[in-house]
Amino acid sequence: MTQAQETAFDQSTVDRAQAIVARYPQARSALLPMLHLVQSVEGYVSQDGIRFCAGQLDLSEAEVSAVATFYTMYKRRPCGEHLVSVCTNTLCATLGGDAIYSTLKDHLGVGHEETAGEPGTPGSITLEHAECLAACDLGPVLQVNYEFYDNQTPDKALGLVKALQSGDKPAPTRGAPLTDFKQAELQLAGFFEGRDADLDGPSAAPETLAGAQIAQERGWDAPAMPANAEFPALPEKK
């Protein structure tokens, strides 16, 4: 183990890693949260982080790398204090997501998965395109460290990013109070460090609940599932 590894992954990180493993009947199932744990320490998944996960889970480095490079939530370059994800999928793009991304790109002087400022330092921002953020009823949307900022415009998004750069943490539209990228990653690994109240933040907006409210007001119900429903036979495999 190198000195860099000893510094990055200290005993408290090892203890957390083992606590993650203990949640699962098979150790390899702990890989996804453990990669988040690595990011909470380093701000990305380095090759040292790959080796750390492999050693903790008795996996090969190739097996860990295959997972870390498959999911876009695991970053292969150091992230800024804040990760700003702009939805540019079809609906958000049409409603203004492309314009928002272009405005932030010009302001920060960076492109996709690039960082303005020294990674990890106060006010540094990593910008990325995001595929669907599952908030089409509130588009265009963006996320900061995976917390939602709904109904955005280029001007609102620019003001948000400038506030982040100056050290402010504007409240998300819904969800937990804003923290930084590393703290968000620690929570994704399952450790809230005294921030358990973050789970109580509002998760649904009025727009999301409008259909259910109308159905309730009008007494609409989905048909009940028959007690003995017959399902068609599966086609024979050849």
Side-chain angles (χ1 to χ4, degrees):
M1 180 178 288
T2 67
Q3 184 63 38
Q5 283 176 280
E6 291 174 4
T7 301
F9 306 112
D10 59 12
Q11 187 59 48
S12 67
T13 306
V14 173
D15 291 344
R16 284 174 176 154
Q18 290 306 302
I20 293 172
V21 172
R23 300 173 194 160
Y24 299 91
Q26 295 186 29
R28 66 183 299 126
S29 300
L31 178 55
L32 296 185
M34 196 172 292
L35 285 166
H36 285 298
L37 177 65
V38 164
Q39 289 199 140
S40 78
V41 175
E42 295 190 296
Y44 74 120
V45 179
S46 67
Q47 196 57 42
D48 284 345
I50 296 288
R51 282 191 285 270
F52 176 79
C53 291
Q56 294 295 315
L57 300 174
D58 195 25
L59 297 172
S60 70
E61 291 181 32
E63 288 174 303
V64 177
S65 295
V67 173
T69 57
F70 180 82
Y71 294 104
T72 59
M73 60 190 176
Y74 301 122
K75 309 305 181 186
R76 301 314 307 275
R77 290 185 289 183
C79 279
E81 180 186 22
H82 300 295
L83 172 66
V84 175
S85 312
V86 182
C87 184
T88 54
N89 211 338
T90 307
L91 183 58
C92 276
T94 302
L95 293 173
D98 282 345
I100 290 170
Y101 181 83
S102 179
T103 296
L104 298 185
K105 177 176 177 290
D106 291 344
H107 170 70
L108 295 170
V110 299
H112 176 59
E113 292 190 339
E114 294 179 348
T115 300
E118 184 67 25
T121 60
S124 55
I125 305 285
T126 298
L127 180 66
E128 68 174 359
H129 283 284
E131 282 300 322
C132 184
L133 294 179
C136 299
D137 47 345
L138 298 161
V141 300
L142 62 80
Q143 290 180 332
V144 179
N145 308 327
Y146 305 116
E147 300 297 345
F148 278 100
Y149 293 80
D150 302 318
N151 296 310
Q152 290 292 297
T153 66
D155 286 344
K156 287 169 66 175
L158 181 59
L160 170 61
V161 165
K162 287 181 176 179
L164 296 172
Q165 289 180 297
S166 69
D168 293 335
K169 294 181 179 177
T173 309
R174 51 202 164 89
L178 188 64
T179 180
D180 59 38
F181 177 70
K182 287 185 177 180
Q183 179 64 38
E185 287 297 304
L186 188 60
Q187 291 187 355
L188 288 170
F191 302 97
F192 284 81
E193 305 290 299
R195 294 180 59 103
D196 299 84
D198 287 2
L199 296 170
D200 300 329
S203 60
E207 295 90 335
T208 307
L209 302 175
Q213 183 176 349
I214 291 171
Q216 184 178 25
E217 290 170 352
R218 299 184 181 182
W220 294 345
D221 272 308
M225 184 73 174
N228 297 304
E230 291 187 12
F231 293 94
L234 294 173
E236 183 181 352
K237 292 185 178 180
K238 297 182 180 180

